[in-house]
């Protein structure tokens, strides 16, 4: 396995350059031994699947191969086939739009809630924080199930409430059967689940702003919106950019929420996002090569989006 | 009242209103779980528990088919994952925070990078791999995938804790005559306990809640984890008009351990999440 190579390599090269007396202390085997279990499970659980996926995306891998026929190399055929398919582009556009709307709404609300927490009495702040923690802690499947009931066409609280408010058209309104209102419900659920993390992270960032700076601003007669624009926002910018990037990455790979909502009878082809498209192509239609090609595309998209974040973390680690 | 106090009061009211809206789905789940099904079918909802509240939904779920098996499956998978993740991540965190060695930077980079791989981009290959190894529908198969998914973040989290215990403490103990291992076990290990607990709970939450990998790796009804079971319970119930009381009782049973554990460690996790990477 690969980590054996990693074990041998450094020992040999260092032997050549270090004087014998220190060599033993400089190149101990212990840290390498300690890394073996983690490396092994990463290789098995993620490394090999990634390798399989890359290879398969260049092969013909359909039903015949399922029954033992050796796969043949087809070069970029799968990519060509997938990327000339209008269905894929519809899903890509839908996924990116959904991802951006959800990420920006989440971070916008999270920022507003964090500023609100800073402004209110400590007791009210704790009440709000506990409410957010409850939503954050809800297991995803349970959360989607509860929301499905809130939006239930017959006995759901949302329709009942809208009717009470005078919108009588909503009596018996089926939210999940139309793509647009389906994605509205999905957005409500995802924003509800994601805002707590963003709000509490940004609030944690706000508490780092030194009191002296704010006092000085007050003495100079700064108005609240000036304090916000010229002191608070610049100081929490790093937190905002990291949570925004994380939200974009996470919202691009939304799968389970959509899958669970589709169970209620939504038009699947019009409500699929990228993850659901891969699932349907691979597990559903047994087109493993096509599914692998789309997966590689999603991986590259994610890597491209997360690269600035990885780089900032590496810099932080070096510091 | 001055304008300032009035403004503050308005903001306070707004905050309370948001808190109510945000907590409502959780409250509604718990309330519905103790509400008799007949009352839930009424077109006018009732918002408070009253004398007709009942534990019947819970006993129906617990006596019904599937819950026990799914609970056992979830417990096994979670236990294996938590133990493996803690052991592996602890050793790796020790290696990268106590030694400077060649390949260290590459390993740290790998750990960071692996967290960017979306599970939704890998499940086809993971499914094929488990199918090839005859490990579909097994605790071992799914635990390997969960461990691989969770271990990078826990390495990152524990690394901070290990680095927080000064190596001087161990060296002082070694001067006093303890061996390196003894010094580690008696001095450093107890100081790492909070970090191990936090990472363990994090691994627990991930494995207990996981849905996507379970959906592909555990296709058999007999091997369902609780999230998969809840989904099929809802689907089965949908055919005869959803029994929301039982569905909400089932959701509550799955959610309560998570909410309890989460509230215990969330402070530690929030700081770890911001400096680390992955969301729960």
């Amino acid at each position: 396995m690969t980590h054996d190579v990693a074990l041998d390599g450094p020992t040999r090269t260092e032997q050549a350059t270090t004087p014998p007396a220190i060599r033993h202390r400089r190149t101990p085997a212990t840290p390498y031994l300690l890394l073996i279990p983690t490396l092994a499970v990463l290789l098995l659980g993620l490394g090999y699947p990634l390798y399989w996926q890359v290879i398969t995306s260049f092969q013909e891998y359909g039903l015949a191969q399922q029954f033992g026929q050796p796969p043949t190399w087809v070069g970029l055929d799968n990519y060509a086939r997938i990327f000339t398919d209008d269905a894929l582009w519809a899903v890509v556009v839908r996924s990116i739009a959904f991802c951006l709307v959800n990420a920006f709404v989440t971070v916008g609300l999270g920022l507003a809630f964090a500023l609100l927490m800073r402004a209110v009495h400590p007791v009210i702040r704790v009440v709000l924080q506990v409410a957010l923690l409850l939503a954050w802690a809800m297991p995803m499947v349970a959360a989607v199930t509860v929301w499905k009931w809130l939006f239930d066409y017959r006995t759901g609280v949302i329709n009942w409430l809208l009717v009470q408010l005078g919108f009588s058209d909503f009596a018996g309104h089926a939210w999940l059967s139309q793509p647009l209102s389906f994605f509205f419900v999905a957005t409500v659920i995802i924003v509800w689940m994601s805002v707590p993390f963003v709000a509490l992270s940004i609030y944690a960032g706000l508490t780092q702003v030194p009191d002296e700076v704010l006092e000085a601003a007050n003495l100079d007669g700064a108005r609240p919106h000036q304090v916000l624009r010229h002191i608070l926002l610049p100081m929490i910018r790093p937190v905002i950019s990291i949570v925004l990037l994380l939200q974009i990455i996470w919202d691009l790979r939304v799968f389970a929420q959509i899958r669970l909502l589709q169970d209620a009878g939504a038009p699947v082809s019009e409500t699929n996002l990228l993850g659901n498209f891969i699932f349907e192509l691979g597990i559903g239609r047994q087109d493993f090569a096509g599914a692998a090609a789309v997966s590689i595309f999603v991986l590259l998209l994610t890597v491209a989006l997360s690269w600035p974040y990885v780089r900032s973390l590496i810099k932080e680690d070096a510091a | 009242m001055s304008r300032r106090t009035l403004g503050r009061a308005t903001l306070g009211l707004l905050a309370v209103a948001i808190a109510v809206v945000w907590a409502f789905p959780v409250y509604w789940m718990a309330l519905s779980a103790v509400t008799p099904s007949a009352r839930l079918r009424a077109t006018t909802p009732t918002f408070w528990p009253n004398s007709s509240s009942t534990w019947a939904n819970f006993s129906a779920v617990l006596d019904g088919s599937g819950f026990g098996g799914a609970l056992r499956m979830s417990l096994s998978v979670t236990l294996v994952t938590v133990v493996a993740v803690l052991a592996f991540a602890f050793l790796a965190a020790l290696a990268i925070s106590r030694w400077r060695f060649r390949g260290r930077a590459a390993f740290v980079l790998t750990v960071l990078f692996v967290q960017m791989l979306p599970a939704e981009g890998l499940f086809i290959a993971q499914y094929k791999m488990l199918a090839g190894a005859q490990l579909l529908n097994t605790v071992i198969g799914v635990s390997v995938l969960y461990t691989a998914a969770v271990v990078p973040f826990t390495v990152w989290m524990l690394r901070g804790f290990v680095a927080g215990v000064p190596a001087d403490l161990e060296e002082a103990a070694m001067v006093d005559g303890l061996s390196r291992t003894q010094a580690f076990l008696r001095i450093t290990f107890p100081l790492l306990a909070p970090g191990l607990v936090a990472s363990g709970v994090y691994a627990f939450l991930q494995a207990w809640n996981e849905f996507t990998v379970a959906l592909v790796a555990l296709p058999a009804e007999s091997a369902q984890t609780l999230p998969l079971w809840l989904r099929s319970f809802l689907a089965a119930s949908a055919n005869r008009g959803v029994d929301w009381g039982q569905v909400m009782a089932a959701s509550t049973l799955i959610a309560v351990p998570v909410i309890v554990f989460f509230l215990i460690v969330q402070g530690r996790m929030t700081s770890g999440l911001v400096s680390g990477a992955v969301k729960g």
Side-chain angles (χ1 to χ4, degrees), chain B residues 168-185:
Chain B
D168 300 3
L169 281 180
E170 264 176 65
E171 273 154 30
M174 282 158 74
V175 172
D176 291 345
L178 292 180
S179 76
R180 186 165 194 133
T181 319
Q182 283 172 324
F184 180 79
L185 287 179

Side-chain angles (χ1 to χ4, degrees), chain A residues 48-114:
Chain A
Y48 178 76
L50 186 58
Y51 165 81
W52 185 94
Q53 209 137 272
V54 173
I55 298 293
T56 307
S57 74
F58 296 114
Q59 291 177 335
E60 162 141 27
Y61 203 114
L63 264 187
Q65 284 68 33
Q66 282 287 87
F67 291 103
Q69 193 177 318
T72 46
W73 286 90
V74 293
L76 291 171
D77 278 10
N78 288 313
Y79 291 92
R81 176 167 59 92
I82 291 298
F83 289 129
T84 50
D85 183 353
D86 288 346
L88 175 82
W89 291 111
V91 174
V92 169
V93 169
R94 199 182 296 146
S95 292
I96 292 177
F98 182 81
C99 157
L100 292 178
V101 168
N102 278 271
F104 280 95
V105 171
T106 304
V107 173
L109 279 182
L111 175 61
F113 289 11

Side-chain angles (χ1 to χ4, degrees), chain B residues 214-271:
Chain B
L215 184 67
V216 294
L218 304 171
E221 202 175 311
S222 57
Q224 284 178 334
T225 54
L226 284 171
L228 294 181
W229 170 82
L230 178 60
R231 179 190 184 224
S232 48
F233 184 71
L234 180 58
S237 153
N239 295 330
R240 42 177 203 276
V242 180
D243 190 332
W244 286 111
Q246 286 188 29
V247 170
M248 289 302 115
S251 307
T252 308
L253 285 172
I254 295 173
V256 161
V258 176
I259 292 179
V260 169
F261 276 129
F262 186 86
L263 292 179
I264 293 171
V265 294
Q266 70 75 26
R268 248 190 282 279
M269 267 172 46
T270 321
S271 52

